[in-house]
Amino acid sequence: MKSAAVVNYAPEKGSVEIREIERPKIGDDDVLLEVANVGVCGSDLHQWTADHSWPVNYPVVLGHEFGGHIIELGSRVSGWREGDRVVSETAAVIDPQNPMTRRGLYNLDPTRKGFGYGVNGAMTRYVRVPARCLHHVPDQLAFEQACLTEPCCVAFNAVVENSRLKPGDRVIVLGPGTIGILCAAVAKLCGADVAVVGLEADRHRLSIAEQYGCTAIVGDATEWAKKVDGLGADCVIDAAGTSITLKIAMQLVRPNGHITKVGWGPQPLNFSLDPLVQKNVTLQGSFSHNWPIWERVISLLASGQLDVKPIIGGVWSITDWHEAFEKMHRGDVVKSVLKPL
């Protein structure tokens, strides 16, 4: 049985197309998932436009933000049943003996391979998933929202685990994409006063950030950063897909403040990091997520404390992937969601 899949088949720009692929065969520790919905990530767009900075195992089915129903269980899988509603983490291949994995930080295993670049992802009807990656989805949480658990976990890790915000902190988020807006939403949950910064072309996406109670700023955020005591923001979260925003973050952060970089930017920096030294600033990278973060985020989504509905710009069929990608790439929508055939 073959199904339509969105396949990234080569490193050249635009090398994505619909292909018919066979239903995957699962191993003893895997389940076969029938995909209900899959989110389009900025990294999917980066592979499509060929401006990514990570190795890709071509050809590969795109998609790592997904949920669905279990339809087949491997012989060694326990604790799960056919028909269970689940979402999946992204660490499809990890080394159980790696020191990071043994500490529970398998997201930082250097040999880790993820769905959508290392192994086939979920922009198709069926995907093979290791059972260790699964989390239950409560009945009240629709898959259109549940499939966005993954970017919410990226935001939670950046804001809660790696930025350690306190109520009353003034936080600037650079970049009003999915991760930026979700970082802003999580920062609001932490009790922070939050501004989201973008460009003129980002006005629509910035208006969605305002729905989360954030201040939207086009261009220079210096005035907002220095409004209270003239020193700058307590924390700047760099969620833009370009390197120059780190320079902006260093300008906006207060002495002894914190910068968390969660956006990828492969371009060379070409500027001095001396302000980090002079201001005694902490620069923190934030990558991916792990099991306890997923459990906490699913609880937040199911309870309605974290609402992803405002960022969803539409649901497209797999065969209409190009329109869904284009609308996100142009900034017409924050997040596109696909539905397999």
Side-chain angles (χ1 to χ4, degrees):
M1 181 195 301
K2 290 193 173 185
S3 304
V6 181
V7 177
N8 183 196
Y9 58 86
E12 287 74 37
K13 184 176 182 178
S15 297
V16 173
E17 66 183 10
I18 289 286
R19 293 184 178 180
E20 293 288 317
I21 65 167
E22 295 287 348
R23 174 170 161 160
K25 292 180 170 59
I26 64 170
D28 293 337
D29 299 307
D30 302 326
V31 304
L32 189 66
L33 209 63
E34 184 169 21
V35 180
N37 287 107
V38 52
V40 179
C41 177
S43 63
D44 297 313
L45 300 182
H46 284 309
Q47 286 180 218
W48 171 53
T49 55
D51 54 3
H52 59 287
S53 55
W54 51 87
V56 176
N57 184 25
Y58 303 102
V60 70
V61 179
L62 291 173
H64 60 268
E65 305 174 357
F66 62 99
H69 297 90
I70 296 173
I71 61 168
E72 187 182 340
L73 299 166
S75 62
R76 289 199 294 261
V77 174
S78 61
W80 298 99
R81 295 177 301 180
E82 290 182 12
D84 279 349
R85 304 176 81 242
V86 295
V87 286
S88 171
E89 296 188 35
T90 54
V93 178
I94 57 173
D95 176 6
Q97 300 307 317
N98 185 275
M100 300 312 292
T101 302
R102 296 185 75 162
R103 290 179 58 191
L105 297 174
Y106 48 85
N107 54 308
L108 303 180
D109 171 3
T111 67
R112 168 192 181 276
K113 290 184 173 64
F115 292 105
Y117 70 91
V119 304
N120 279 339
M123 288 187 185
T124 185
R125 187 170 181 184
Y126 302 107
V127 62
R128 184 182 77 180
V129 179
R132 62 172 171 76
C133 291
L134 300 176
H135 295 262
H136 275 291
V137 175
D139 289 342
Q140 72 266 30
L141 183 58
F143 277 121
E144 283 180 17
Q145 287 113 59
C147 74
L148 303 187
T149 305
E150 195 275 341
C152 292
C153 289
V154 170
F156 190 98
N157 193 31
V159 172
V160 179
E161 303 295 337
N162 284 320
S163 301
R164 303 186 185 281
L165 297 187
K166 298 184 294 295
D169 278 349
R170 288 174 64 77
V171 176
I172 291 176
V173 178
L174 302 176
T178 299
I179 299 302
I181 291 178
L182 290 175
C183 281
V186 174
K188 289 294 291 185
L189 283 178
C190 294
D193 191 4
V194 184
V196 181
V197 182
L199 304 173
E200 189 65 41
D202 294 321
R203 284 193 180 274
H204 170 65
R205 298 194 296 179
L206 287 169
S207 71
I208 292 169
E210 288 179 314
Q211 293 182 39
Y212 287 96
C214 302
T215 301
I217 298 174
V218 173
D220 187 5
T222 304
E223 183 181 352
W224 191 92
K226 296 188 174 183
K227 185 177 180 181
V228 172
D229 61 6
L231 290 177
D234 297 288
C235 177
V236 180
I237 297 172
D238 181 355
T242 181
S243 299
I244 192 63
T245 45
L246 180 58
K247 185 177 183 181
I248 296 169
M250 291 192 301
Q251 294 165 354
L252 296 174
V253 71
R254 71 192 291 106
N256 207 43
H258 191 104
I259 298 171
T260 297
K261 184 159 175 55
V262 65
W264 294 73
Q267 309 89 352
L269 291 176
N270 295 324
F271 55 82
S272 171
L273 295 179
D274 284 353
L276 285 180
V277 181
Q278 185 181 24
K279 287 185 170 183
N280 203 79
V281 168
T282 301
L283 174 60
Q284 170 77 51
S286 185
F287 178 68
S288 192
H289 29 65
N290 57 7
W291 191 90
I293 293 174
W294 278 73
E295 288 294 298
R296 181 62 59 92
V297 165
I298 290 169
S299 294
L300 291 171
L301 291 169
S303 69
Q305 288 175 272
L306 182 57
D307 183 8
V308 295
K309 290 193 287 293
I311 70 168
I312 299 173
V315 181
W316 287 263
S317 75
I318 285 285
T319 50
D320 293 327
W321 71 270
H322 194 271
E323 180 185 351
F325 277 41
E326 281 280 5
K327 281 187 175 291
M328 253 183 87
H329 189 57
R330 289 197 306 262
D332 295 347
V333 302
V334 174
K335 172 64 71 172
S336 297
V337 173
L338 299 180
K339 188 169 184 60
L341 300 173

